[in-house]
Amino acid sequence: AQTVTQSQPEMSVQEAETVTLSCTYDTSESDYYLFWYKQPPSRQMILVIRQEAYKQQNATENRFSVNFQKAAKSFSLKISDSQLGDAAMYFCALKPGNTPLVFGKGTRLSVIA
Amino acid sequence: EADIYQTPRYLVIGTGKKITLECSQTMGHDKMYWYQQDPGMELHLIHYSYGVNSTEKGDLSSESTVSRIRTEHFPLTLESARPSHTSQYLCASSEGPDEQYFGPGTRLTVT
């Protein structure tokens, strides 16, 4: 079975500070993708960052970066220089092979001005 | 921005009514998905399709049905709406093993 676990239901961060959201997963597939999605309040779900499992280098997109530890099956998201617009639900997701995404339960991030 | 559309965006309907939630994408993606999500909560996969005339049930037991007659269109139908169907319904599409693109969602309230 494929599972994704986000152990932090809620997190908060001061504006301009750095925050890390945790995600662990389990899969028996050797070929898979990992994603972080952002869902702002009452707005569309959008992709934040993706990581191919076969790539050892951690993905980076501007202020967003991941720490991908394949052996530990860990995929955390770091947000640097947090902004008010970063406030949202963040979902970690696993795509094992040719099957649908498996989502974690989400982490609600609040940004404090 | 991804070209995936859902209509209606909001729907309030009485118990027992038949409803169809529309989802269309203009990206030519073979794969399409329907998720149910209570506000601020986790997503539950209810149906998916990997191509025309192909549909599968997801992890969450659902009283809804879907059809895939055209690549770009993946409607979700509830034959008899109940208050327990009150939720947000998200449609998504993808190509290959890469990311899923999400529509804006339909917020359904059954009274």
Side-chain angles (χ1 to χ4, degrees), chain A residues 33 35 37 39 42-47 50 89 91 95 97-106 108, chain B residues 1 4 31 33 35 37 40-43 45 48 50 88 90 94 96-100 102-104 107:
Chain A
Y33 284 67
F35 304 90
Y37 280 89
Q39 188 180 38
S42 300
R43 291 180 60 189
Q44 203 154 337
M45 182 94 74
I46 58 172
L47 179 71
R50 70 163 65 79
M89 284 290 289
F91 292 94
K95 198 169 199 308
N98 197 32
T99 58
L101 279 175
V102 179
F103 283 92
K105 293 189 175 184
R108 185 185 307 278
Chain B
E1 191 157 315
I4 181 163
K31 300 178 176 66
Y33 314 84
Y35 294 87
Q37 182 192 30
M41 303 296 284
E42 63 189 299
L43 286 81
L45 179 68
Y48 62 100
Y50 280 2
Q88 177 168 244
L90 298 177
S94 70
D98 212 336
E99 68 177 285
Q100 288 179 193
F102 284 83
R107 189 152 292 183

Side-chain angles (χ1 to χ4, degrees), chain A residues 50-60 66-68 75:
Chain A
R50 70 163 65 79
Q51 175 82 44
E52 293 95 331
Y54 65 88
K55 289 187 177 179
Q56 293 190 352
Q57 187 172 3
N58 289 326
T60 299
V66 297
N67 183 5
F68 175 44
F75 183 60

Side-chain angles (χ1 to χ4, degrees), chain A:
Chain A
Q2 336 284 348
T3 61
V4 176
T5 302
Q6 294 180 249
S7 59
Q8 306 152 316
E10 296 185 0
M11 293 279 287
S12 63
V13 62
Q14 293 279 353
E15 200 174 3
E17 297 295 310
T18 296
V19 65
T20 298
L21 308 184
S22 300
C23 174
T24 57
Y25 64 94
D26 193 19
T27 180
S28 56
E29 297 283 339
S30 58
D31 182 22
Y32 55 91
Y33 284 67
L34 292 160
F35 304 90
W36 278 98
Y37 280 89
K38 172 185 178 182
Q39 188 180 38
S42 300
R43 291 180 60 189
Q44 203 154 337
M45 182 94 74
I46 58 172
L47 179 71
V48 175
I49 198 165
R50 70 163 65 79
Q51 175 82 44
E52 293 95 331
Y54 65 88
K55 289 187 177 179
Q56 293 190 352
Q57 187 172 3
N58 289 326
T60 299
E61 288 286 344
N62 300 314
R63 299 182 294 109
F64 298 87
S65 61
V66 297
N67 183 5
F68 175 44
Q69 301 290 328
K70 191 171 183 178
K73 294 185 177 177
S74 171
F75 183 60
S76 61
L77 174 70
K78 185 172 81 171
I79 306 174
S80 304
D81 185 26
S82 296
Q83 301 174 0
L84 294 176
D86 295 333
M89 284 290 289
Y90 287 82
F91 292 94
C92 179
L94 163 71
K95 198 169 199 308
N98 197 32
T99 58
L101 279 175
V102 179
F103 283 92
K105 293 189 175 184
T107 297
R108 185 185 307 278
L109 177 67
S110 302
V111 181
I112 303 164

